[in-house]
Amino acid sequence: MNKWKRLCHKDRIFLSVVYGIVILISVMILYPLWFVVIASISNPDLVASGQVLFLPKGITMEGYKYIFRDTRIWTGYYNTIRYTLVGTLIALFITVPAGYALSRTDMAGRGLIMKLLIVTKYFSGGLIPTYLVVKGLHLVNTPYVLMILGSFNVFNLILCRTFFVNTMPMELQEAAEIDGCSITQYFLRVVIPLSKAILAIMVLYYAVGHWNSFFNGLIYVTDNRLYPLQLILRDILITGQSVDPTTLDPESLELMRQIARTIKYGVIIVSSLPVLILYPFVQKYFVKGVMIGSVKG
């Protein structure tokens, strides 16, 4: 408050405009999320008629009851958690050592390797060649395909490399070598303990990617027992919306249509809730990950 009083009139106007824009943008971003929450527990007819805007009306849990009544939901949660944990570990095992190696000026050919990796961000073999490679490795319709695919990302590698370039000087490695530390010992005992920030960022990026993975499961998996949560929710949504009107009486048919309108909001909450709960605890690392490489010093 004292700082505000010391500001001149023009500064106050400027800050007021800035704060107003920030508040407006925040409302525009947060309101859709809030609407999904209240729509998932509101009467679907009131939602469809536009009467639900800021608070839930005609609260009902029929959509969630329908979703969780399907026992496959727990199989989907188990599979997705398994794919996320193992896939993230594989990603860390690949990305962090590779990022550190490419950050060292004494690595031969690191410039050429980086150029080749960057090319893959703009050009790829396409879906059919990728599918043929996966099929040739006998990974189709196995849990391993969902753990391996998506476990390496060039952008994340660049983040790791930038972090190590800015925080791990060669003098530190030379000092460790003078004390009798090998390259492997230096990486495990010095680099890794000093890289908790980038490790947290990589865990967040890769875990969210695996958790939200939908396309790989749709293409490479046909066994329902191996479906990730996203595909299970998709099947539940399709089942709720594809009701044969000739098999139900009018009252039951209308109830199923109402549930189907509610399900589409419920599946968003069910799939996003674990990530939304986790995000506040890793928010500071997410912000730091965005800022890596933007400012040096």
Side-chain angles (χ1 to χ4, degrees):
M1 182 61 67
N2 292 332
K3 290 183 178 180
W4 181 263
K5 291 180 178 180
R6 289 197 298 266
L7 294 175
C8 66
H9 181 66
K10 292 183 178 180
D11 289 338
R12 291 181 183 179
I13 295 176
F14 173 76
L15 289 178
S16 298
V17 172
V18 170
Y19 290 153
I21 294 174
V22 170
I23 293 173
L24 179 62
I25 294 175
S26 300
V27 170
M28 292 172 60
I29 294 173
L30 294 177
Y31 177 73
L33 300 177
W34 173 244
F35 179 79
V36 169
V37 173
I38 62 177
S40 67
I41 59 175
S42 296
N43 186 302
D45 291 333
L46 298 178
V47 176
S49 62
Q51 298 183 46
V52 176
L53 294 176
F54 301 104
L55 294 174
K57 295 182 179 180
I59 295 178
T60 175
M61 294 295 177
E62 289 300 321
Y64 288 105
K65 289 179 181 178
Y66 184 88
I67 293 172
F68 287 104
R69 193 180 299 134
D70 195 325
T71 56
R72 294 178 302 166
I73 196 78
W74 307 114
T75 301
Y77 264 116
Y78 168 74
N79 288 337
T80 298
I81 292 172
R82 180 175 52 156
Y83 301 151
T84 299
L85 290 177
V86 178
T88 302
L89 289 176
I90 295 174
L92 292 178
F93 183 78
I94 296 173
T95 305
V96 176
Y100 174 72
L102 292 172
S103 70
R104 299 295 86 185
T105 56
D106 55 347
M107 177 183 175
R110 68 181 187 128
L112 176 61
I113 294 174
M114 281 302 304
K115 290 182 176 63
L116 293 175
L117 289 172
I118 292 175
V119 168
T120 63
K121 287 187 64 64
Y122 301 97
F123 304 98
S124 66
L127 177 60
I128 295 177
T130 303
Y131 183 86
L132 293 176
V133 171
V134 173
K135 184 178 181 180
L137 295 174
H138 304 288
L139 293 175
V140 174
N141 214 31
T142 67
Y144 308 109
V145 66
L146 299 181
M147 298 175 185
I148 295 174
L149 292 181
S151 292
F152 178 75
N153 185 285
V154 176
F155 174 76
N156 291 342
L157 175 67
I158 294 173
L159 282 183
C160 279
R161 176 182 176 275
T162 304
F163 176 85
F164 290 130
V165 166
N166 293 335
T167 60
M168 299 292 168
M170 283 296 297
E171 291 78 10
L172 187 62
Q173 178 179 338
E174 293 170 356
E177 290 176 352
I178 292 174
D179 291 335
C181 191
S182 65
I183 297 295
T184 303
Q185 291 175 330
Y186 170 71
F187 178 75
L188 295 176
R189 296 183 179 182
V190 179
V191 174
I192 294 298
L194 295 177
S195 306
K196 293 179 181 179
I198 194 64
L199 291 176
I201 294 165
M202 292 298 103
V203 168
L204 175 65
Y205 284 5
Y206 279 117
V208 171
H210 279 287
W211 184 270
N212 292 329
S213 179
F214 168 82
F215 186 73
N216 289 337
L218 186 65
I219 297 298
Y220 301 109
V221 176
T222 58
D223 189 347
N224 293 343
R225 296 171 298 178
L226 299 177
Y227 274 6
L229 178 64
Q230 311 299 336
L231 286 184
I232 297 293
L233 294 175
R234 168 182 173 270
D235 286 352
I236 294 175
L237 182 60
I238 293 175
T239 302
Q241 293 180 338
S242 58
V243 180
D244 187 356
T246 62
T247 61
L248 297 174
D249 58 89
E251 184 177 348
S252 299
L253 181 61
E254 180 59 26
L255 178 61
M256 287 301 299
R257 286 175 175 171
Q258 289 181 355
I259 293 174
R261 288 195 292 267
T262 307
I263 286 175
K264 61 184 179 182
Y265 298 109
V267 294
I268 297 174
I269 299 300
V270 171
S271 62
S272 304
L273 188 60
V275 177
L276 293 176
I277 293 174
L278 177 65
Y279 180 75
F281 299 99
V282 294
Q283 179 184 9
K284 61 179 181 180
Y285 298 113
F286 181 83
V287 174
K288 189 168 184 177
V290 174
M291 296 299 295
I292 284 179
S294 60
V295 178
K296 185 175 181 180

